[in-house]
């Protein structure tokens, strides 16, 4: 049985005036350094929570809760929320905000002060990731969390719209690149919507995109994730070059790169932008160990 108190869509959420009042009380202004853009529109919060399809029994991991806009919406939908906040002032204030706005749910939120790029342990095992991520670290944060928390089965992240397109891009797309392929290692990514600029404070200069994901089994390969990701990095470091040329340094020479590609069943004259994660895994497997 779920311990979450019953709630309804009428539950109050933080709006523009509440967000600005909280920020004034704390003496803070959103900083570009931390990529802070606070959501000030309740309907946007409800939309994010709805698209995320959070189950009432789930524990949700939220990164960058800020002043708590999304946190309150997630507490209405999930069993428990683990909120990771890098700003010590915001992290210290969040429990008070939850106690004021959702007193019956206050014991169902764990606030962790820390850098989401570095955390490897949490007070509860999350099954979903729902977050408004800072634009400048969105991709590495997503990849880090998926790597270190295999319990994450699905999620929804709000990122810069261009980043959303890259994460969800299929092979052959103009924006297909390193984020697209590495994300495939963990799951299926899809673009789930666009969020306008005026629902944030301060308003960013570009729209945001929603990316939903469902985790799947990692590719069946004898190569490690690190070995596969090394091939991806090499292939896209010089994306205009053929794979034979782009992977020459990785393999030891152009000849060795061509031989590895042949063993992997990949056309040496192709470019990385046409390959999926399984092809990169085969290439990683096919690399010959260096001569002793």
């Amino acid at each position: 049985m779920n311990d979450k108190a019953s709630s309804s869509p009428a539950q109050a959420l933080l709006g523009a005036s509440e967000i600005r009042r909280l920020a004034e009380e704390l003496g803070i202004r959103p900083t570009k350094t931390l990529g802070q853009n606070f959501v000030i529109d309740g309907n946007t919060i409800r939309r994010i929570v709805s698209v995320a399809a959070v189950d009432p029994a789930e524990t949700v991991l939220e990164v960058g809760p800020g002043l708590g806009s999304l946190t309150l919406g997630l507490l209405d939908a999930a069993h428990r929320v683990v909120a990771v906040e890098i700003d010590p002032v915001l992290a210290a204030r969040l429990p008070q905000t939850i106690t004021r706005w959702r007193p019956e749910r206050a014991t169902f939120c764990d606030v962790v002060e820390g850098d989401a790029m570095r955390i490897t342990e949490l007070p509860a095992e999350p099954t979903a990731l729902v977050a408004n991520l800072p634009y400048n670290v969105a991709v590495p944060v997503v990849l880090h969390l998926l790597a270190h928390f295999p319990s994450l089965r699905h999620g929804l992240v709000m990122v810069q719209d261009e980043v959303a397109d890259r994460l969800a891009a299929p092979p052959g797309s103009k924006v297909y690149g390193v984020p697209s392929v590495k994300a495939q290692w963990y799951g299926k990514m899809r673009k789930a919507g666009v969020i306008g600029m005026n629902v944030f404070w301060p308003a960013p200069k570009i729209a945001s995109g929603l990316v939903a994901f469902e985790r799947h089994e990692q590719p069946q390969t004898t190569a490690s994730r690190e070995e596969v990701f090394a091939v991806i990095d090499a292939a896209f470091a010089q994306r205009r070059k053929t794979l034979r040329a782009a992977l020459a340094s990785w393999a030891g020479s152009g000849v060795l790169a061509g031989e590895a590609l042949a063993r992997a069943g990949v056309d040496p004259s192709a470019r990385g932008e046409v390959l999926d994660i399984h092809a990169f895994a085969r290439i990683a497997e096919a690399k010959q160990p260096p001569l002793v």
Side-chain angles (χ1 to χ4, degrees):
M1 181 177 179
N2 181 25
D3 295 324
K4 185 173 78 69
S6 61
S7 60
S8 70
Q11 285 275 56
L13 295 168
L14 300 179
S17 60
E18 290 83 12
I19 290 293
R20 289 190 172 92
R21 187 183 308 118
L22 272 171
E24 185 177 352
E25 287 178 13
L26 295 173
I28 64 169
R29 292 283 298 179
T31 69
K32 289 185 178 180
T33 304
L34 297 179
Q36 291 170 328
N37 296 92
F38 301 129
V39 181
I40 57 175
D41 178 65
N43 286 331
T44 299
I45 295 299
R46 295 184 182 97
R47 177 185 173 191
I48 292 170
V49 173
S50 175
V51 175
V54 175
D55 186 273
E58 286 195 281
T59 294
V60 176
L61 172 60
E62 182 189 6
V63 173
L67 292 167
S69 306
L70 180 56
T71 313
L72 296 179
L74 291 172
L75 281 170
D76 293 340
H79 170 64
R80 178 173 292 275
V81 174
V82 178
V84 177
E85 175 58 58
I86 193 172
D87 187 321
V89 175
L90 296 177
R93 181 55 183 257
L94 187 56
Q96 184 179 334
T97 301
I98 294 168
T99 298
R100 177 183 174 186
W101 289 80
R102 295 293 188 278
E104 75 284 2
R105 302 289 293 133
T107 59
F108 293 89
C109 184
D110 299 289
V111 180
V112 177
E113 181 188 330
D115 185 348
M117 289 278 290
R118 299 178 182 275
I119 58 169
T120 55
E121 295 182 5
L122 291 170
E125 189 174 81
T127 54
L129 170 66
V130 185
N132 170 24
L133 293 175
Y135 291 169
N136 55 338
V137 295
V139 171
V141 164
V142 170
L143 294 178
H144 171 82
L145 295 175
L146 286 172
H148 286 86
F149 298 99
S151 60
L152 289 171
R153 305 311 305 170
H154 72 108
L156 182 79
V157 293
M158 180 160 59
V159 297
Q160 186 174 343
D161 197 38
E162 294 176 357
V163 175
D165 289 336
R166 288 198 291 271
L167 277 171
S173 166
K174 290 182 179 179
V175 296
Y176 186 73
V178 171
S180 323
V181 192
K182 289 184 177 179
Q184 290 176 20
W185 178 271
Y186 301 103
K188 171 67 175 177
M189 304 270 169
R190 65 177 177 84
K191 185 85 172 283
V194 177
I195 303 292
M197 296 168 279
N198 294 332
V199 302
F200 295 95
W201 175 65
K205 295 181 180 180
I206 191 170
S208 298
L210 298 176
V211 179
F213 70 86
E214 295 280 345
R215 188 187 285 268
H216 57 210
E217 294 299 320
Q218 68 183 48
Q220 295 298 310
T221 176
T222 58
S224 68
R225 181 183 72 237
E226 291 77 13
E227 289 170 336
V228 177
F229 281 14
V231 182
I232 297 168
D233 289 334
F236 286 96
Q238 305 176 77
R239 63 181 298 150
R240 292 180 178 274
K241 291 189 175 183
T242 65
L243 284 167
R244 186 182 186 280
L247 297 180
S249 295
W250 165 81
S253 71
V255 171
L256 291 174
E259 292 174 353
L261 289 163
R263 287 191 295 272
V266 175
D267 182 358
S269 66
R271 289 174 172 80
E273 61 199 31
V274 302
L275 303 185
D276 65 9
I277 188 64
H278 301 286
F280 281 108
R282 294 198 307 273
I283 296 170
E285 282 187 5
K287 183 180 182 181
Q288 294 283 29
L291 295 176
V292 178

